[in-house]
Amino acid sequence: MRVGPALATFLALLSLPAWAQYSETTPSQDGIGVVYMGREIARVMGHEGADWLERPERVTEEQPDRVVEAMQLKATDVVADIGAGTGYFSIRIARKVPQGSVIGEDIQPEMIGLMKVKLAETGITNVKPLLGTTEDPKLPAGGVDKVLMVDAYHEFDKPLEMMQGIVKGLKPDGQVVFVEYRGEDPNVPILPHHKLTEAQLSKEMAAVGLHLVRKYEDLPWQHVLFYGREAAKAP
Ligand SMILES: C[S@@+](CC[C@H](N)C(=O)[O-])C[C@H]1O[C@@H](n2cnc3c(N)ncnc32)[C@H](O)[C@@H]1O
């Protein structure tokens, strides 16, 4: 029997456990009015704000080289940068995986266009820009050593579907790395729905079978949290 898209979505929702379903609320200033596992999803940062991703002070505020160092990459690793924006992190990672590659994925074609310009300017050839959808990062099945999401996951309007796609793309011993502004700290100068707590993220990752395996907490404002399939170990 063929079913229309609305009925297909309804049937898919019915098959989800209750705690992983989406509900509606009055949208906050920086939210979209959709709640997932107790958290209102944030608004997507439009490509019009791309200059903010490349601001010079980001180097001191977010210390991207320390993030890349903390990822403990091997030269041959395949890394997916999901919600890569202009490729700010993809380019830094590419230099650390000279025999590997980086998938720089985003849902905004304009961001992919800006990333291609940056790649041409830097002469980096081991980043593959990839246009995904809000429900599918389009990763090769079982092909990725590390997935990185910097300041992106809290904006995914279908976080469960995205994470299911990411888990499918991960090698058995692969890790998913989140860099998110600390939701526990009211002094971090970022809008509330653009921050995440470790407890919230761990709850959402448990829904897709991932556990906290390591963390790096030496950045001024952000968590760096590593999740994997193996049982949680003390970081
Ligand atoms: C705040 S920007 C961060 C960009 C980049 N990670 C960085 O740190 O420079 C968030 C990015 O996530 C992207 N994004 C939002 N929802 C997404 C989704 N479902 N899948 C992939 N990318 C998404 C947006 O298009 C935007 O480029």
Side-chain angles (χ1 to χ4, degrees), residues 44-46 52-54 58 62 81-89 105-108 111 132-135 137 149-158 162 194:
V44 170
M45 198 201 93
W52 187 74
L53 300 175
E54 297 287 334
R58 193 169 181 193
E62 299 192 11
D81 182 9
I82 305 291
T86 54
Y88 188 80
F89 275 88
E105 187 266 3
D106 205 281
I107 52 166
Q108 298 188 67
M111 288 294 198
T133 71
T134 56
E135 298 189 12
M149 282 168 271
V150 180
D151 195 21
Y153 175 74
H154 60 266
E155 297 187 355
F156 294 176
D157 65 3
K158 292 280 191 293
M162 280 296 289
H194 286 76

Side-chain angles (χ1 to χ4, degrees), residues 29-214:
Q29 187 205 352
D30 62 327
I32 63 167
V34 177
V35 175
Y36 176 63
M37 297 188 78
R39 163 180 74 89
E40 186 184 351
I41 294 167
R43 271 181 209 286
V44 170
M45 198 201 93
H47 62 91
E48 301 82 357
D51 284 352
W52 187 74
L53 300 175
E54 297 287 334
R55 67 196 187 281
E57 59 272 28
R58 193 169 181 193
V59 173
T60 43
E61 288 172 358
E62 299 192 11
Q63 306 187 358
D65 292 341
R66 292 175 78 184
V67 173
V68 174
E69 205 55 44
M71 288 178 72
Q72 301 178 350
L73 297 166
K74 294 195 199 84
T76 52
D77 274 350
V78 176
V79 181
D81 182 9
I82 305 291
T86 54
Y88 188 80
F89 275 88
S90 300
I91 286 171
R92 285 170 165 78
I93 292 166
R95 297 191 175 109
K96 299 284 181 189
V97 295
Q99 285 107 53
S101 61
V102 181
I103 298 166
E105 187 266 3
D106 205 281
I107 52 166
Q108 298 188 67
E110 296 87 351
M111 288 294 198
I112 297 291
L114 291 167
M115 192 191 309
K116 286 181 178 167
V117 171
K118 289 265 164 219
L119 290 171
E121 280 170 6
T122 51
I124 283 177
T125 54
N126 59 340
V127 176
K128 298 175 199 151
L130 174 69
L131 184 65
T133 71
T134 56
E135 298 189 12
D136 185 1
K138 300 192 177 168
L139 297 179
V144 177
D145 295 284
K146 291 224 163 79
V147 173
L148 176 69
M149 282 168 271
V150 180
D151 195 21
Y153 175 74
H154 60 266
E155 297 187 355
F156 294 176
D157 65 3
K158 292 280 191 293
L160 178 67
E161 291 80 349
M162 280 296 289
M163 284 311 306
Q164 286 169 336
I166 285 169
V167 168
K168 228 184 277 170
L170 208 57
K171 290 184 183 175
D173 61 345
Q175 288 186 353
V176 183
V177 187
F178 292 89
V179 181
E180 287 283 352
Y181 290 103
R182 288 196 290 270
E184 299 86 345
D185 186 350
N187 295 319
V188 171
I190 293 291
L191 290 168
H193 295 94
H194 286 76
K195 300 181 184 182
L196 267 181
T197 65
E198 179 188 321
Q200 178 69 31
L201 194 55
S202 291
K203 186 167 73 169
E204 295 184 27
M205 290 310 107
V208 291
L210 297 181
H211 305 273
L212 187 69
V213 293
R214 189 157 71 86

